[in-house]
Amino acid sequence: MAISKKEVEHVALLARLSLSEGEKEKFSKQLSQILEHAGKIAELNTEGVEPTSHALPIKNVFREDEEKTCLSQKEALSNAPAKEDGMIKIPKIV
Amino acid sequence: MNYEVVIGLEIHVELDTVSKMFCGCSTKFFGEKPNTFTCPVCLGMPGSLPVANEKAIECTAKIGLALNSKIASFTKFDRKNYFYPDMPKDYQISQYDLPICEGGYVDIEMEGLALEGSGSRGYTRRVGITRVHLEEDTGKLTHIGESGRIGGADYSLVDFNRAGVPLVEIVTEPDIRTPDEAKIFVQKLKNIIEHLGVSDCDMEEGSFRCDANISLRPMGSKELGTKSEVKNMNSFRAIQRALVYEIERQRELLRADERVIQETRHWDAANNVTMSLRSKEEAHDYRYFPEPDLVPMELSGEWIEDLKNTLPELPDARKKRFVEAYGLSVYDAELLTSSKTMGDYFEECARAYNDAKKISNWIMGEFSMHLNATNLKIEESAVTPKHLVQLLRLIDKGQISGKMAKDVFKEMFESGKLPKIIVEERGLSQISDEDAIEKIVDMVLEENKKAVEEYGSGKDRALGFLVGQVMRLTKGSANPQLVNEILRKKLT
Ligand SMILES: [Zn+2]
């Protein structure tokens, strides 16, 4: 299963990554290899096996609707590179 | 060419749980300082793990049951991936292919309105429900710059207090045909959810939000036209006006042989227009995949049945009961059950006072007029059921006339004073004492011999004049019915 350069560009755009032409070539090859490797699973005989989205046989893990202590504003913002008025300051979006 | 309008709605409802969807942070942050209701989970810190709030699952299933949906026996959460700074994780936990509820419908009554293409007035529209799913709300962005909007902003500020609040998304089928239907549908949906008690449904605070997909197609065509999505309609009036505008905009484009562009448009209530957000052509590729941090859920038939049994009375059933139990007209019952608080108010009065029709008349007449004039909701008014019932009793006892009662109502609406106190303070008591009225009537007859003669010669107008004289002398406080009676008796 080959990943074209065009697909690499699309995925890069969605992930907000800017790649050089050389990187696009390189990732197109590497991603194809990864998919090929994962594609081996398709060789298994899965007849009679229920499709699943989770590997663990666990269901219905819930929490009670109860309030817990929150972080302070200072703690919450401690990783933010820029802040203003108790909020995280970010570059313009569009 | 004639076009058919096709509207589908997406409604987002914030659930009124104590804590957020996947963590224990409180949801009661309205008016509080930014970023003071967060934790490692809702900030998306590496290593933190979400755990689903059981109450939120329950509330979502309740909404589904109320909308006649099928509740899933197997359901799961999925990741919706997108880069936007309102989500700390760069993905939103939502539901993709296996939502909690699928299918369903809401019937809306379009009273007094004509269905296009038919002459009859008044019709029922069944609006299909596609799905009801559960997700987490995003944080709030404030754009700093001259416009205050995202376009042209210098920079933006992020508050994550709202991030992670349980959010239910209700999607309708494209069954709505007019802006009026859309408005009535959203009003009814809000009313149902209020009766369920799972959200405070405050449109201004944003806990009940509506987006619309609109397209036009040639009358008779089965294919859907290109749609636009309108956002930011935060009142019933806004929904209706935005849709009217958008339909007209698309109709003009089509008539000029131009293309409708599939895009998101923002309703600008101040200028009465929808505007293209003009963001870069967004690649809508959310790459959903099953949320690995949350295990799937199985909802048993028994659990669903139990939940069904806990459902409170919903607006349609309440309306029916109001007609049957209180002898109200369908029209009155419809209005009185159009919001939960209005229905609750009426019933509290009806428990204390047994003439339901009188209560209903006052609520829908005088009371509604004052509420509309001041833009207040019934529960925000200073006039409690106790006030209204006391006022009705004062009228029944003949202590005040209907006309005086309106003045008293106005004052109690403004001051919150009980009607008995207002009547005492103003010395308003109506004279219902027959002897007292007789004395005044005698006086008036004595002084107005000409009018008495005219009445005797068949001029009915003279009676009105005499009544007026009595009312003038008593400064309007005589019981007018009694005055009429006594006068007639004396004049024959
Ligand atoms: Zn949290």
Side-chain angles (χ1 to χ4, degrees):
Chain A
M1 209 190 300
I3 294 286
S4 67
K5 203 181 109 188
K6 216 175 152 202
E7 280 169 301
V8 173
E9 280 168 352
H10 177 62
V11 174
L13 173 77
L14 292 172
R16 303 294 186 267
L17 295 172
S18 88
L19 304 178
S20 70
E21 282 305 306
E23 282 171 324
K24 286 176 195 169
E25 292 290 336
K26 190 169 138 197
F27 291 145
S28 145
K29 224 186 211 162
Q30 287 184 348
L31 286 171
S32 299
Q33 279 167 359
I34 292 167
L35 281 185
E36 216 171 281
H37 185 69
K40 274 197 177 305
I41 296 172
E43 290 169 17
L44 289 173
N45 181 3
T46 55
E47 218 182 283
V49 179
E50 279 284 307
T52 183
S53 54
H54 292 73
L56 299 169
I58 308 172
K59 280 167 197 128
N60 296 359
V61 177
F62 301 119
R63 37 175 284 274
E64 288 286 316
D65 183 25
E66 283 165 357
E67 188 182 337
K68 293 224 171 86
T69 320
C70 296
L71 295 173
S72 69
Q73 192 188 65
K74 194 164 172 262
E75 285 170 314
L77 298 178
S78 57
N79 285 330
K83 50 206 126 185
E84 186 175 303
D85 296 334
M87 287 177 272
I88 298 164
K89 187 176 172 182
I90 56 163
K92 63 176 175 188
I93 300 166
V94 291
Chain B
M1 185 180 312
N2 273 334
Y3 292 98
E4 183 183 35
V5 174
V6 179
I7 301 169
L9 299 174
E10 267 173 42
I11 292 101
H12 285 93
V13 184
E14 272 180 5
L15 294 177
D16 190 19
T17 48
V18 171
S19 62
K20 290 188 181 178
M21 186 58 229
F22 300 112
C23 62
C25 290
S26 166
T27 58
K28 304 288 174 275
F29 52 80
F30 190 79
E32 300 286 336
K33 284 190 188 136
N35 295 303
T36 52
F37 288 73
T38 67
C39 73
V41 174
C42 58
L43 285 179
M45 299 283 187
S48 66
L49 281 175
V51 186
N53 183 338
E54 189 168 17
K55 179 82 186 294
I57 313 279
E58 230 178 77
C59 294
T60 311
K62 271 190 189 177
I63 293 177
L65 288 169
L67 305 182
N68 310 295
S69 306
K70 185 178 180 300
I71 311 302
S73 54
F74 184 87
T75 175
K76 67 174 169 68
F77 286 107
D78 298 276
R79 271 190 198 182
K80 180 180 181 179
N81 298 280
Y82 67 93
F83 269 79
Y84 200 68
D86 61 0
M87 282 306 287
K89 301 190 289 287
D90 280 334
Y91 61 82
Q92 180 187 28
I93 303 179
S94 181
Q95 297 197 283
Y96 184 53
D97 55 341
L98 298 170
I100 296 176
C101 325
E102 276 187 284
Y105 61 87
V106 174
D107 287 331
I108 52 170
E109 305 298 330
M110 303 303 297
E111 269 157 45
L113 288 159
L115 182 62
E116 208 166 319
S118 99
S120 67
R121 288 180 89 73
Y123 64 97
T124 303
R125 167 80 69 200
R126 174 161 291 191
V127 179
I129 302 293
T130 313
R131 58 188 274 153
V132 179
H133 77 243
L134 183 55
E135 58 190 27
E136 53 179 343
D137 208 348
T138 61
K140 191 173 149 242
L141 297 175
T142 308
H143 305 295
I144 309 296
E146 241 173 88
S147 68
R149 277 200 288 269
I150 186 166
D154 298 324
Y155 60 94
S156 300
L157 298 172
V158 194
D159 171 13
F160 285 129
N161 282 349
R162 199 180 63 184
V165 168
L167 189 68
V168 169
E169 181 176 314
I170 300 161
V171 184
T172 79
E173 292 289 305
D175 290 342
I176 297 167
R177 293 290 170 270
T178 67
D180 278 324
E181 287 178 13
K183 188 180 109 183
I184 300 281
F185 171 81
V186 176
Q187 279 174 340
K188 179 144 185 195
L189 183 66
K190 180 169 179 276
N191 195 14
I192 292 171
I193 293 171
E194 279 172 354
H195 275 78
L196 288 171
V198 297
S199 169
D200 59 16
C201 292
D202 192 315
M203 291 181 97
E204 277 161 39
E205 280 182 22
S207 58
F208 187 94
R209 320 194 277 265
C210 176
D211 303 332
N213 287 309
I214 309 141
S215 62
L216 266 56
R217 63 181 170 195
M219 203 56 96
S221 162
K222 289 273 162 264
E223 240 171 280
L224 288 171
T226 308
K227 67 180 179 183
S228 61
E229 188 181 7
V230 178
K231 288 180 180 280
N232 192 43
M233 303 176 289
N234 50 14
S235 69
F236 296 130
R237 197 173 135 80
I239 290 170
Q240 201 197 22
R241 288 169 66 206
L243 290 177
V244 166
Y245 176 87
E246 187 57 19
I247 290 164
E248 221 28 65
R249 189 188 71 86
Q250 290 193 13
R251 206 192 305 266
E252 273 173 35
L253 281 175
L254 293 172
R255 287 211 169 127
D257 252 340
E258 282 178 62
R259 223 162 49 89
V260 173
I261 302 165
Q262 182 159 351
E263 61 179 352
T264 302
R265 301 179 69 86
H266 204 78
W267 171 243
D268 179 348
N271 295 308
N272 224 344
V273 291
T274 65
M275 299 213 306
S276 173
L277 285 177
R278 276 183 231 290
S279 54
K280 273 176 262 171
E281 201 47 46
E282 272 292 323
H284 278 298
D285 187 347
Y286 295 126
R287 294 150 296 146
Y288 284 96
F289 63 84
E291 171 56 63
D293 287 345
L294 290 159
V295 298
M297 296 159 281
E298 264 180 18
L299 309 176
S300 72
E302 200 188 343
W303 183 86
I304 295 165
E305 207 47 46
D306 284 350
L307 200 62
K308 211 182 226 169
N309 292 330
T310 68
L311 286 189
E313 185 184 41
L314 297 170
D316 280 347
R318 196 179 207 189
K319 181 170 101 181
K320 198 159 165 265
R321 182 168 59 82
F322 275 21
V323 171
E324 286 162 6
Y326 297 112
L328 297 175
S329 68
V330 174
Y331 178 81
D332 289 359
E334 171 87 35
L335 280 170
L336 287 173
T337 55
S338 64
S339 84
K340 176 162 194 303
T341 45
M342 177 87 88
D344 289 349
Y345 191 101
F346 168 80
E347 291 211 85
E348 203 178 325
C349 293
R351 273 191 290 274
Y353 183 83
N354 65 14
D355 192 336
K357 185 68 198 160
K358 269 191 199 158
I359 301 169
S360 153
N361 286 345
W362 272 88
I363 292 180
M364 292 190 304
E366 210 63 13
F367 205 168
S368 290
M369 187 190 83
H370 284 284
L371 289 173
N372 290 340
T374 50
N375 213 4
L376 282 176
K377 296 192 189 105
I378 197 162
E379 68 273 21
E380 294 165 339
S381 153
V383 178
T384 67
K386 189 184 170 190
H387 285 81
L388 185 58
V389 167
Q390 200 178 85
L391 185 71
L392 293 173
R393 293 224 170 95
L394 289 175
I395 304 169
D396 288 349
K397 281 186 208 148
Q399 276 182 272
I400 52 174
S401 66
K403 191 179 168 297
M404 285 154 89
K406 286 186 180 176
D407 290 336
V408 174
F409 189 93
K410 184 167 182 284
E411 186 172 340
M412 72 179 184
F413 188 86
E414 283 159 6
S415 69
K417 283 183 190 165
L418 280 165
K420 267 186 191 162
I421 296 181
I422 297 169
V423 167
E424 261 169 46
E425 279 179 359
R426 293 218 218 157
L428 278 178
S429 278
Q430 169 174 269
I431 302 171
S432 292
D433 177 346
E434 278 190 48
D435 291 340
I437 293 177
E438 252 191 74
K439 270 187 203 146
I440 297 160
V441 167
D442 287 340
M443 217 156 79
V444 168
L445 294 179
E446 188 60 37
E447 283 171 12
N448 298 282
K449 292 231 165 79
K450 194 167 163 241
V452 175
E453 270 168 37
E454 279 175 10
Y455 181 78
S457 61
K459 282 187 184 156
D460 267 354
R461 254 186 318 143
L463 183 71
F465 171 78
L466 293 167
V467 171
Q469 291 306 305
V470 177
M471 296 311 281
R472 190 176 61 85
L473 284 173
T474 58
K475 296 195 174 70
S477 67
N479 181 333
Q481 247 175 313
L482 219 49
V483 173
N484 247 302
E485 262 171 49
I486 295 172
L487 264 172
R488 278 183 196 279
K489 203 168 69 195
K490 297 224 171 227
L491 286 167
T492 47

